[in-house]
Each structure stands twice: as C-alpha cells, then as structure tokens.
Amino acid sequence: MLGALRRKVAIGGSSASVLGKAIRPGISASRVSVNVGEEILLLQPRGIAHVRNFSHLILPGCSVGLAKTRDVFSSIQLETIMQKSCRAFSSGGGDLVDVVVPFMGESISDGTLATFLKKPGDSVAADEPIAQIETDKVTIDVVSPQAGVIQEYVAKEGDTVEAGAKIAVISKSGEGVAPAAPAEKKSEKAASKPSPPAESVKEDKPKAKVEASPAAEKPKPPSSPPPKQTATEPVLPPKERERRVPMTRLRKRVATRLKDSQNTFAMLTTFNEVDMTNLMKLRSDYKDAFVEKHGVKLGFMSGFVKAAVSALQHQPIVNAVIDGDDIIYRDYVDISIAVGTPKGLVVPVVRDADKMNFAEIEKTINNLAKKANDGTISIDEMAGGSFTISNGGVYGSLLSTPIINPPQSAILGMHSIVSRPMVVGGNVLPRPMMYIALTYDHRLIDGREAVFFLRRIKDVVEDPRRLLLDV
C-alpha cells in the first residue's frame, strides 16, 4: 500500500484523490492523513522518521495534515514509553519475571547486595523476600514481584547495585529450572571425585622425578641453622590465625560520621550523678497499673526523655546548631535514641517528644527499638533529631564520654545504676546512683549552659514532681 501511494503521488495525483481511493472516499485530506499515519504504523513499524517522510510526500504544503500526523506520532511514542515503563519486571516471554532493586530512599543512591535468602530452584511466593541490600543506614529486603521459581541470579553477593537494577529472574511456571537440592548433591559429588586422582598424581610425580634423574642428584650441603631472634624482635602470631572481612556499609557509615564529628566539633564532656531513688519508687508503685492501662512497661527512658525535654526548654542553646556563620534555633524537640543492633548502631527519632506523655514515649521507643533490631526501620524514622540520648547502662557501662551525633550539638549519656554510700541528712545511706554525661559542642555551648542543662536533668529525675509543677 505504501509503495502504491508513493507511485501515485509521484505522478502528480492529488493527495485527497489518492487517499480517497486508497482508503475511504469522501474524507478530507487532513483527516485522512491521520488515518493513513495510523495504518502505516501498523503495517510498516519501522520508525517515526519513515512515516514522517511519507506524510511529506502525500501532503505537500498541507500544514494541518502534518501537525495532526505529528500529534499521532507523539501520542504513540508516549504510549510506547509508558508501556515500556510498566513492563519493568517482564523479560522476553511472559513466563519470566525480572526482580529489580526497589527504591531505597531519597538520600540513598546505591547499596551492597549483602545476601541471598533463596537459592536458584527454590519456590517463592509473591512479596516474599529473596535478598537483602545493605545501605548506609538500613537493610532493605528485595521481594519477589510474583509467585514462581527462581531461575537464576544475575548479580553476586557483595556487588554494588542501584535502584532499578536487575538481580534475579523468576519463572512463573517453574519450567526449565533445576531444583536446588540435586544441584547441591551433584556439586558435592563432582567436588569429591577429582580428589583421588589428584593424590595419585602427586604421588606419581616425585617417583618419576627420582627415576628420571638419579645420577643428577648431588648431596645437599648441610642447612645453616635459622638465625636466633634477638630480645628486641617481637614475636608475631602467624597470618593463618587472622581473618580479614570487609566492613558492612552501615559500619563504614558509622565510622565516617563519628570521625567527622571528632574533626568538626570542639567536643567537651561534663559529668554529674543522679540519685535514682524517687524515679525507681515511682516505677515500682505504678508499674502494674501502667501496664494494665497502656499495655507497655514503665521504664527509665521515658523519665529521662521528659527530663531532657525540660532541660532543652530551659537551655534552648543546647537544642540549636551552627550552620556556617549562623545559629539555627529549633522550636521543636525531636529526641534521638541510640540503639545498638547486631548489625551496628542506629539512632531512631522520637518526634515531638515535648508533646508526649510517659506512655506515648514508652510506646514509641519500644516500637522503634523493635524495628531497629528486626532490621525493618525506615530512613524517615532515623532522619533528623535535635538531641540524642545514649543509654550505655543497659550494657553495664559505668562511665563514658559519648560522641555528638551530627548535625546536633549535644548528646546525653546514661550509665548503669550502682548502689553507693551517700550522705543523706547527715547519715551515710546506700543509694542507687547513676553517672550522667553531657558531651557538647563548645563552639556553640558554654560551660555554664552545659552545667545548668545537666543540673536540670538531675533535679527532674531526682524529683519527678517538678514536671507537674513546672519548677
């Protein structure tokens, strides 16, 4: 059809007459040009440039027809692009499905493929995790888009992958995929078979060498004794007793941030001690009623968070931060809680802690700590924060100097509770005491504000009634 139209146009036939005969009589030239464009795309799908050339031939000087033809082309191009974008998980035939890396967060461009949770040949359900990707902040699960059998992995553990990268292929029917168990047995047999010939080869080689050159051998001179080690030379353990493993992305990120903190801030730490008697009595008196009403246990963290909120409101400079030549004062209180997990340190954030009561704080902390230990915490739940609390006392730490979590300006360190003799009313009595430490940026916060801040925390923890009276 395309050749016939070209020949008729070349010999001088009008566009309206030619198209009317070829397609449908009684239709205007501009209207027909659109229909012709559509038919040509279906019959000759060889690109937009080819059809555009044809539209020039059949519609010389007709700007309306060209404009409408281009509109059809652009709409078809857009539709094609949308179809391609919607087929992100399809590959070739309809039976195979690609598994790609999901979106990992606004500030995360790539991650490390940490481990595969399934093997080729294993069956997977829809939305079942098959791999884990480590980022600078969290571990993200890669799930199967559809149910089927894993055909192959196209990436290896330890590879750096970006969002949208293909890492595996899943067969929906499971055809052509070898089961995982026989493959393992086969590899074990293949690995065990070559071992006897290798031993025999090793045994044969020395014999052949001895038989081939018996006369060429000469008596070896007596070996010189090894040099004696002097007393100054250290005796190092053999390299075989050492192991070298790559750092995880989370550990590298933590190391970089902590070192940047040391290089940026003028850090200074001040200490105080807190008598925990009244807070422990409050907890003991109301723990059962608290659990019955709120469904969560009453701990010490909620008391220290409320005390930190009160101290930040009394000393707002501790809640501020330096930005270039300016000081940014934050009119909100977001408390970051340092949580140690098997994979590394994470710092989830309790948002608007100044607007929460004890029960809301305890529920939020428990929820964030559970997510952190399970590896399901999100980037948004760790972003921001204006002040950090680190409780090393849960591990038995007696005293420490915590490091500031950028871009904050201070961090409070809690420690273990130890019964010590204290003078109370002229008498020496055993009291449950805790050392607390405040590390702050001395560029912004003076020693006076830091001491007043720590003193306020001590006063509130030792007498929680101050929170009710705001004194």
Side-chain angles (χ1 to χ4, degrees):
M1 175 183 173
L2 178 57
L5 287 175
R6 280 182 171 170
R7 286 194 295 271
K8 289 189 177 184
V9 171
I11 62 176
S14 65
S15 60
S17 63
V18 172
L19 296 175
K21 292 177 182 178
I23 303 172
R24 202 182 313 147
I27 302 178
S28 62
S30 60
R31 174 66 176 169
V32 173
S33 65
V34 177
N35 293 335
V36 172
E38 291 176 352
E39 290 190 17
I40 292 168
L41 284 176
L42 294 174
L43 296 174
Q44 302 286 342
R46 288 183 291 175
I48 301 301
H50 175 76
V51 181
R52 187 178 291 116
N53 293 336
F54 174 67
S55 64
H56 279 289
L57 289 173
I58 67 175
L59 296 173
C62 182
S63 59
V64 178
L66 290 175
K68 292 197 174 185
T69 305
R70 292 194 183 99
D71 290 342
V72 175
F73 298 154
S74 61
S75 65
I76 293 174
Q77 281 182 311
L78 179 60
E79 183 182 359
T80 304
I81 294 172
M82 291 176 64
Q83 288 177 352
K84 288 183 178 179
S85 64
C86 292
R87 291 198 300 265
F89 293 106
S90 64
S91 64
D95 181 58
L96 300 181
V97 179
D98 292 347
V99 181
V100 301
V101 178
F103 176 70
M104 295 179 284
E106 292 292 341
S107 60
I108 300 176
S109 59
D110 56 26
T112 300
L113 189 55
T115 182
F116 289 116
L117 305 178
K118 298 285 185 178
K119 298 178 181 179
D122 289 349
S123 299
V124 292
D127 297 329
E128 182 180 359
I130 65 170
Q132 288 184 334
I133 296 177
E134 279 188 353
T135 68
D136 297 342
K137 299 179 180 179
V138 294
T139 300
I140 298 173
D141 289 335
V142 181
V143 300
S144 172
Q146 292 189 17
V149 178
I150 298 178
Q151 187 181 59
E152 62 173 340
Y153 286 115
V154 297
K156 297 181 296 183
E157 292 184 358
D159 287 355
T160 300
V161 293
E162 298 180 351
K166 175 180 172 182
I167 65 169
V169 178
I170 289 179
S171 173
K172 291 186 285 186
S173 64
E175 296 179 357
V177 181
E184 291 178 359
K185 293 179 180 179
K186 186 177 180 181
S187 61
E188 290 176 1
K189 290 179 181 179
S192 60
K193 284 181 180 179
S195 55
E199 293 176 1
S200 61
V201 170
K202 289 182 180 177
E203 292 175 358
D204 293 343
K205 282 185 178 179
K207 292 179 181 179
K209 190 174 181 183
V210 172
E211 292 173 1
S213 57
E217 288 187 356
K218 295 182 180 180
K220 296 182 179 179
S223 59
S224 58
K228 296 181 179 179
Q229 294 181 345
T230 60
T232 58
E233 292 182 359
V235 179
L236 299 177
K239 295 293 183 181
E240 292 78 9
R241 296 173 61 186
E242 297 177 352
R243 290 184 300 116
R244 182 184 294 269
V245 295
M247 292 176 65
T248 62
R249 291 178 68 97
L250 179 59
R251 175 53 54 191
K252 286 190 287 187
R253 180 61 174 168
V254 170
T256 301
R257 285 179 60 85
L258 293 180
K259 190 58 184 175
D260 290 344
S261 177
Q262 282 189 326
N263 296 338
T264 302
F265 300 124
M267 288 191 291
L268 186 63
T269 306
T270 184
F271 302 92
N272 212 321
E273 59 182 356
V274 178
D275 187 347
M276 299 289 293
T277 301
N278 290 332
L279 187 59
M280 292 177 69
K281 186 176 186 303
L282 178 69
R283 179 190 182 190
S284 176
D285 291 345
Y286 296 101
K287 62 180 181 180
D288 294 335
F290 193 87
V291 171
E292 183 178 352
K293 181 175 182 179
H294 301 291
V296 63
K297 292 182 179 179
L298 177 61
F300 294 135
M301 282 302 300
S302 56
F304 274 91
V305 169
K306 295 293 288 184
V309 168
S310 177
L312 289 170
Q313 291 172 342
H314 281 72
Q315 301 295 331
I317 191 66
V318 181
N319 204 40
V321 66
I322 293 177
D323 184 20
D325 296 332
D326 301 324
I327 298 175
I328 299 177
Y329 286 89
R330 302 180 175 113
D331 296 329
Y332 58 90
V333 180
D334 289 350
I335 303 294
S336 303
I337 307 295
V339 179
T341 68
K343 294 184 178 181
L345 180 69
V346 294
V347 191
V349 181
V350 179
R351 309 283 182 190
D352 296 322
D354 54 326
K355 300 177 182 178
M356 292 183 175
N357 56 29
F358 280 78
E360 291 170 339
I361 293 174
E362 289 290 351
K363 289 178 181 178
T364 304
I365 292 175
N366 287 349
N367 184 35
L368 293 174
K370 183 178 179 181
K371 287 183 177 181
N373 286 306
D374 294 343
T376 58
I377 193 166
S378 66
I379 300 295
D380 295 337
E381 290 172 320
M382 295 189 294
S386 59
F387 183 77
T388 297
I389 298 178
S390 176
N391 186 8
V394 296
Y395 307 112
S397 173
L398 182 63
L399 196 62
S400 67
T401 56
I403 299 177
I404 299 173
N405 179 28
Q408 301 171 11
S409 297
I411 180 173
L412 174 69
M414 298 168 53
H415 300 93
S416 58
I417 301 173
V418 179
S419 180
R420 296 200 303 270
M422 303 296 295
V423 178
V424 180
N427 299 319
V428 178
L429 300 174
R431 290 285 186 173
M433 304 299 295
M434 175 193 289
Y435 288 118
I436 55 176
L438 178 72
T439 300
Y440 57 96
D441 185 3
H442 209 351
R443 301 176 304 164
L444 176 66
I445 306 169
D446 294 330
R448 174 179 175 274
E449 284 77 14
V451 173
F452 283 165
F453 179 91
L454 213 54
R455 181 71 191 186
R456 178 63 184 177
I457 290 182
K458 173 182 170 68
D459 292 342
V460 172
V461 172
E462 290 185 344
D463 189 2
R465 295 174 298 179
R466 288 177 176 270
L467 294 174
L468 298 176
L469 303 175
D470 192 21
V471 294

